[in-house]
Amino acid sequence: MRDYVPELAHDGFERVTVEQVMLHTSGFPNADTRADVSDATQRRAQFARWRLEWEPGTRFEYHGGAAHWVLIDIIERVTEVDFRDFVAQQVCAPLGLPRVLGIPVDQQDDIAVLVDTTGTNADPHALQLNDPRVRAAGLPGGGAIATAADLACFYQGLLHNPGGLWDRDVLRDAKAHIRCTFADPLMGVPVNRTLGLVVAGDDGKHILRYAIFGAGCSPRSFGHAGAHAQTAWADPDSGISFACLNNAVTDDQMNAGMRANRLATIAADLS
């Protein structure tokens, strides 16, 4: 981390690797991420105040906001391009997809409002995305805005790598090389994480993993879920990609996950 994010080279953070950040084993899952992500000075000032919660590399706990802040900071340091523009130029545009991070306020008329279905303010982090200014900031942890069709098309891109967009070996590694098998704190199954994705695996526990795979998904399937049962995956064996997005914010995560799993199972059976 010292080579990329010097503000994190303090109080044990020098032991954290970029791979651990991407695998969510870095030890700072609940780090404060309230600063304006579009302002690098504020963002890096936050980094300097972060503290480790456990020894890096010893367990898995999803770093819902923190890890993504570090990764977008690395993008900007290495490329000298705003992270939102980098994603739009290097990922979205080559796949024929619209911009997904940092949507200007005057282009937000067709964005669905998130609804707190339980009335308990279940997830303030998610509900802040109803603020046009937050949408425009492009929060790196959960702030991308897309249709389910666009997300499914992105996964088709991961399946087929049109035009050689990604280095073949790097893409193969991202889709198949399981680097973390620590137990998921919620479901108790090995997380089966690559650098960015979750792999279904052949142990029969794929529907419990953090991608909400359908029961009929092959072991090579890869994907990722988000808050409140947003999910997307692709199955190399069937060629199917699936995405389920909704605007419900609930504190009943188990029920939301079960509903998404039923839909995912229907999709997997289409092959």
Side-chain angles (χ1 to χ4, degrees), residues 85-265:
D85 294 337
F86 182 85
V87 172
Q89 296 165 6
Q90 300 298 320
V91 179
C92 298
L95 292 175
L97 300 175
R99 185 184 185 94
V100 296
L101 276 172
I103 309 300
V105 173
D106 62 0
Q107 297 177 27
Q108 296 182 17
D109 292 344
D110 61 346
I111 297 175
V113 173
L114 296 175
V115 178
D116 183 357
T117 59
T118 52
T120 58
N121 197 27
D123 188 345
H125 178 78
L127 290 170
Q128 70 175 322
L129 290 167
N130 283 333
D131 185 335
R133 296 168 299 178
V134 175
R135 295 170 179 164
L139 293 182
I145 297 171
T147 66
D150 286 341
L151 186 53
C153 285
F154 167 74
Y155 272 84
Q156 284 293 311
L158 294 181
L159 278 178
H160 302 293
N161 196 20
L165 175 59
W166 293 288
D167 179 276
R168 185 178 303 174
D169 292 335
V170 172
L171 182 59
R172 183 185 301 113
D173 182 271
K175 294 191 297 185
H177 183 184
I178 298 172
R179 296 170 181 257
C180 178
T181 56
F182 285 128
D184 184 310
L186 179 62
M187 304 306 294
V189 301
V191 293
N192 278 17
R193 294 194 72 99
T194 72
L195 294 178
L197 294 165
V198 178
V199 176
D202 59 4
D203 60 1
K205 299 178 180 179
H206 55 290
I207 64 171
L208 300 177
R209 293 201 164 92
Y210 195 59
I212 313 183
F213 295 109
C217 282
S218 77
R220 294 198 301 150
S221 298
F222 56 86
H224 205 286
H228 311 288
Q230 319 292 322
T231 187
W233 48 257
D235 187 338
D237 289 2
S238 68
I240 288 176
S241 60
F242 169 77
C244 175
L245 305 180
N246 68 82
N247 65 329
V249 177
T250 174
D251 55 10
D252 190 349
Q253 299 279 35
M254 192 62 68
N255 184 60
M258 291 173 63
R259 177 179 178 274
N261 178 256
R262 289 193 292 269
L263 296 174
T265 293

